[in-house]
């Protein structure tokens, strides 16, 4: 609930710190005293548009800070804070601050962490619910009526939402499979032609590199053929240097035992023969590798051209051609298996759709039953609020299938008829300001506002009524405030007498400076203010006596 509101330099308020309590708090004061300024300041905290005209004349900036305390944050608040990465320790109050500059622009903070104004607007619905004579949000807005009815019915809307997600997912999977098969069938002839081409040449990973190396070796061999032949002749014949070395080694082997140097010479000669043998082997291998075969070279170049042409056609590397072939085979296999897979997906989608329909039908039935109950409950509240001729109706209309969604198959809207025989219409279309406020009060009492905002504010709901109607309004506001927090801006002494806490708003002038102040009244102050509300400018003894009777009566 709202525990404190600190205002600095907003319109007529220079500095104001208010503390709020649970239960019904009433705010009273003469017309023009500045009650709307409090609501404007609170609106800033809740993400309302920052008008520079709110900054007190002569000041550079204004600010409003509201503190909310909860036993534990409602899911709507904790989820929004989590998504915005705003860190608040368990048990810590929620401190929302808005700062507005006189030259334009504003900044928002939650527990001194900078946040967007959009986040404040997102949190507003869970923090404060404001109802005024020109309210176009809250209970007046049809977008929230379905949720309110579901809460009133205690309906399992989450089951419908879950069933919708499963059905939506199954339908998306089916549509994707159908689109894929249709596209594959359209490409089937082309796939077969491409696959036949690739199968014919049978590409292999690493083949391009091997072919390119072989081609390069052959091209080098053509240039080096003469030199290679000359080098190989060195090893050929009995007169070759290698043959003579071997002959010398045999002779040296016979005499090597005669002297150590001869043995060393033989060892050196043996090493030379071994190295020469290795050179001969490598030279022969090189000559074989560099052999220039014009026909084979032509085959290699033709093969490379074919592979690279296919790679260009399929926009890939040559080494990727085997993968491309496999993908084509898989697509063709999918076409053949598509009908079987599609049948399974159709079956799954139908089952998910039927599960959703059953859940949505059950929710529809619960809504219809709850709607009848809600209509009776609201009807019981209308006469005491001087709305005897009015009628209330919960409209529950089944939507066409293309408009079904996670909230079910219904459109829900609260309708009223203010005169006998008149057609039902939306709340804000035919009700006057005072009627609308009383309708909202009747509806809130009937709903008992399950899961509503932490703080509810009614702005002059009693305008234009008095006597028994004002008493009925006060009694219902007190009932709504039981166990929660409700603030009412009022001109009615009957409503003011019901308050657990009473704030008086006053405006004073000194020279050219006008200020608005707010004071929390004690018991004697309450009696005096209610007497003023009863008698006008001059408080009479009769008015004080009547104020006593009002206070004693509650």
């Amino acid at each position: 609930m709202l525990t404190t509101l600190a205002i600095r330099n907003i319109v007529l308020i220079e500095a104001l710190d208010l503390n709020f309590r649970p239960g019904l708090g009433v705010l009273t004061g003469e017309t023009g005293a500045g009650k709307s300024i409090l609501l404007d300041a609170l609106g800033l905290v809740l993400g309302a548009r920052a008008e520079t005209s709110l900054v007190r004349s002569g000041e550079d900036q204004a600010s409003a800070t509201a503190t909310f305390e909860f036993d534990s944050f409602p899911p709507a608040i904790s989820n929004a804070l989590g998504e915005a990465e705003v860190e608040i320790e368990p048990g810590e109050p929620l401190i929302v601050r808005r700062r507005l500059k006189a030259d334009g622009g504003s900044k928002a903070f939650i527990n001194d962490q900078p946040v967007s104004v959009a986040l404040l607007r997102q949190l507003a619905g869970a923090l404060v619910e404001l109802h005024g004579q020109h309210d176009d949000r809250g209970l007046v807005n049809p977008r929230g009526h379905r949720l309110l009815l579901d809460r009133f019915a205690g309906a399992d809307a989450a089951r419908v939402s879950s069933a919708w997600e499963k059905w939506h997912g199954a339908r998306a999977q089916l549509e994707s499979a159908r689109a894929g098969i249709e596209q594959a069938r359209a490409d089937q002839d082309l796939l077969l032609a491409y696959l036949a081409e690739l199968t014919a040449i049978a590409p292999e990973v690493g083949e391009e590199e091997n072919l390119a190396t072989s081609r390069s070796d052959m091209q080098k061999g053509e240039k080096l053929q003469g030199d290679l032949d000359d080098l190989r002749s060195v090893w050929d014949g009995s007169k070759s240097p290698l043959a003579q070395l071997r002959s010398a080694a045999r002779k040296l082997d016979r005499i090597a035992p005669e002297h150590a140097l001869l043995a060393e010479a033989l060892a050196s000669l043996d090493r030379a023969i071994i190295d020469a043998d290795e050179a001969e082997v490598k030279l022969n291998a090189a000559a074989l590798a560099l052999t220039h075969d014009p026909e084979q070279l032509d085959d290699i170049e033709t093969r490379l051209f074919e592979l690279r042409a296919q790679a260009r056609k399929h926009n890939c590397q040559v080494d990727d051609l085997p993968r491309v072939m496999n993908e084509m085979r898989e697509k063709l296999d999918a076409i053949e298996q598509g009908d079987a897979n599609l049948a399974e997906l159709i079956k799954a989608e139908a089952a998910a759709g039927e599960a959703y329909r059953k859940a949505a039908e059950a929710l529809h039935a619960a809504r219809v039953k709850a709607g009848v109950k809600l209509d009776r409950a609201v009807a019981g509240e209308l006469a005491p609020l001087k709305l005897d001729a009015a009628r209330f109706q919960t409209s529950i209309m089944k939507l066409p299938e293309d408009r079904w969604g996670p909230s079910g198959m219904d459109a829900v809207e609260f309708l009223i008829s203010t005169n006998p025989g008149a057609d039902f219409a939306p709340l804000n279309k035919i009700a006057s300001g005072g009627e609308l406020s009383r309708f909202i009060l009747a509806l809130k009492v009937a709903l008992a506002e399950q899961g509503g905002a932490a703080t509810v504010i009614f702005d002059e709901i009693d305008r234009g009524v008095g006597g028994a109607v004002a008493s009925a309004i006060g009694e219902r506001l007190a009932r709504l405030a039981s166990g929660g927090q409700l603030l009412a801006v009022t001109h009615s002494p009957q409503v003011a007498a019901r308050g657990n806490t009473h704030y008086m708003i006053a405006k004073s002038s000194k020279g050219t400076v006008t200020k608005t102040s707010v004071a929390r009244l004690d018991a004697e102050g309450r009696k005096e203010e209610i007497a003023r509300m009863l008698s006008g400018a001059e408080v009479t003894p009769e008015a004080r006596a009547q104020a006593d009777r009002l206070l004693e009566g509650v």
Side-chain angles (χ1 to χ4, degrees):
M1 70 172 188
L2 176 67
T3 55
T4 68
L5 178 63
I7 302 172
R8 298 291 184 271
N9 298 322
I10 292 182
V11 192
L12 300 178
I13 298 177
E14 182 178 13
L16 180 64
D17 294 283
L18 289 174
N19 294 306
F20 297 98
R21 297 175 178 177
L24 176 59
V26 295
L27 294 91
T28 64
E30 294 181 357
T31 300
K35 294 185 289 295
S36 63
I37 301 175
L38 294 179
L39 299 182
D40 288 338
L42 190 57
L44 279 178
V45 169
L46 300 175
R49 184 177 177 181
E51 300 284 356
T52 56
S53 59
L54 292 175
V55 180
R56 181 175 169 82
S57 177
E59 300 294 336
D60 295 330
Q61 65 179 24
S63 69
T65 305
T67 302
F68 298 88
E69 295 186 12
F70 301 87
D71 292 333
S72 61
F73 286 129
I77 294 178
S78 57
N79 291 341
L81 293 176
E83 290 175 4
E85 298 182 351
V86 176
E87 297 181 2
I88 298 181
E89 295 295 328
E92 188 178 1
L94 186 71
I95 304 172
V96 186
R97 177 162 56 96
R98 185 89 175 274
R99 191 171 64 204
L100 171 63
K101 291 185 177 181
D103 57 0
S106 70
K107 291 185 178 181
F109 305 85
I110 293 180
N111 289 41
D112 290 328
Q113 301 172 63
V115 297
S116 67
V117 176
L119 177 59
L120 301 190
R121 286 194 289 268
Q122 188 178 352
L123 294 172
L127 294 174
V128 176
E129 183 179 330
L130 174 63
H131 298 290
Q133 296 206 33
H134 306 289
D135 186 22
D136 59 354
R137 299 163 297 168
L139 297 180
V140 177
N141 191 335
R143 285 181 295 182
H145 292 176
R146 184 165 52 197
L147 178 60
L148 288 169
L149 181 62
D150 287 348
R151 287 174 177 165
F152 179 76
D156 188 7
R159 179 168 169 251
V160 174
S161 179
S162 176
W164 165 261
E165 292 300 328
K166 291 178 182 177
W167 184 28
H168 188 71
R171 188 165 52 188
Q173 193 174 0
L174 175 60
E175 290 172 357
S176 176
R178 279 177 172 156
I181 289 173
E182 287 174 6
Q183 183 63 46
R185 281 178 177 154
D187 296 342
Q188 187 173 19
D189 291 342
L190 189 59
L191 283 171
L192 287 169
Y194 283 162
L195 185 57
E197 290 176 354
L198 289 172
T199 302
I201 65 171
E204 297 178 0
V205 175
E207 185 179 4
E208 181 187 27
E209 183 179 357
N210 293 335
L211 289 171
T213 300
S214 296
R215 182 181 64 174
S216 177
D217 289 345
M218 283 194 176
Q219 289 170 340
K220 292 175 182 176
E222 185 178 12
K223 297 178 183 178
L224 302 174
Q225 192 65 51
D227 292 332
L228 288 171
D229 289 343
D230 290 344
L231 286 168
R232 291 174 70 186
S233 67
V234 174
W235 277 263
D236 293 339
S238 59
K239 301 295 185 182
S240 67
L242 183 55
Q244 292 178 11
L245 285 174
R246 286 172 178 156
S247 176
R250 286 192 295 272
K251 292 178 182 179
L252 190 54
D253 184 54
R254 291 194 298 270
I255 63 174
E258 301 298 330
H259 196 280
L261 290 175
L262 292 174
E264 292 177 8
L266 177 60
S268 296
L269 189 57
D270 286 340
R271 286 195 299 273
I273 292 171
I274 291 171
D275 288 341
D277 283 338
E278 287 183 5
E280 181 182 24
V281 171
K282 291 179 179 178
L283 182 61
N284 289 332
L288 183 61
L290 296 170
T291 297
H292 174 62
D293 184 339
E295 185 174 346
Q296 186 180 1
L297 180 59
D298 185 60
D299 290 343
I300 289 174
E301 291 182 336
T302 299
R303 178 70 174 172
L304 278 171
F305 177 81
E306 290 176 345
L307 290 170
R308 289 171 177 171
Q310 287 294 322
R312 286 193 299 272
K313 178 183 287 189
H314 297 291
N315 193 28
C316 67
Q317 300 297 318
V318 171
D319 280 351
D320 292 330
L321 289 175
R323 174 184 57 79
V324 171
M325 288 178 64
N326 288 332
E327 289 175 355
M328 289 179 181
R329 291 191 183 100
E330 289 172 359
K331 289 180 180 178
L332 290 168
D333 289 343
I335 295 173
E336 294 177 1
Q337 299 172 3
D339 290 339
N341 293 338
L342 200 60
E344 289 297 322
L345 291 174
I346 291 172
K347 184 178 178 181
E349 189 272 343
E354 183 60 24
Y356 170 79
R357 286 182 183 88
K358 286 182 178 179
E361 287 285 0
L363 180 58
H364 171 76
R367 285 168 173 167
V368 170
K369 183 178 179 180
V372 173
K373 182 180 177 182
L374 180 60
D375 292 350
R376 287 199 299 264
V378 174
E381 298 291 334
L382 295 180
L385 296 175
K386 202 177 179 181
L387 294 168
D388 319 56
R391 292 176 297 153
F392 175 87
Q393 181 184 81
T394 303
S395 170
I396 304 168
M397 182 180 66
K398 277 192 175 183
L399 297 169
E401 186 171 336
D402 60 353
R403 292 181 59 191
W404 293 357
S407 298
M409 54 177 62
D410 305 313
V412 177
E413 186 172 6
F414 299 145
L415 305 176
I416 60 168
S417 169
T418 54
N419 297 301
D423 292 334
F424 284 95
L427 286 172
N428 59 344
K429 297 297 183 184
I430 63 173
S432 66
E435 287 176 329
L436 179 60
S437 295
R438 281 177 279 149
F439 263 114
I440 290 172
L441 178 59
L443 184 56
K444 283 195 70 67
V445 171
L447 288 169
E449 194 45 43
Q450 309 205 11
T455 300
V456 179
I457 299 175
F458 277 92
D459 182 17
E460 299 187 359
I461 189 175
D462 49 16
R463 175 175 290 187
V465 300
V469 177
S471 295
I473 291 174
E475 186 273 330
R476 281 155 178 78
L477 289 175
R479 194 194 315 169
L480 276 177
S482 176
Q485 184 184 55
L486 189 148
L487 301 175
V489 178
T490 181
H491 289 284
S492 167
Q494 291 91 341
V495 173
R498 290 278 182 175
N500 304 107
T501 312
H502 193 145
Y503 303 89
M504 188 179 73
I505 304 170
K507 183 168 63 175
S508 61
S509 297
K510 186 176 182 180
T512 59
V513 178
T514 302
K515 294 183 180 180
T516 290
S517 60
V518 181
R520 189 170 68 200
L521 302 178
D522 56 16
E524 189 62 29
R526 287 190 69 195
K527 183 175 73 173
E528 192 70 11
E529 171 63 3
I530 291 173
R532 181 199 65 77
M533 297 171 73
L534 287 165
S535 63
E538 183 179 350
V539 179
T540 64
E542 291 81 3
R544 290 189 178 94
Q546 189 175 354
D548 279 334
R549 287 193 294 273
L550 279 177
L551 289 168
E552 289 170 1
V554 298

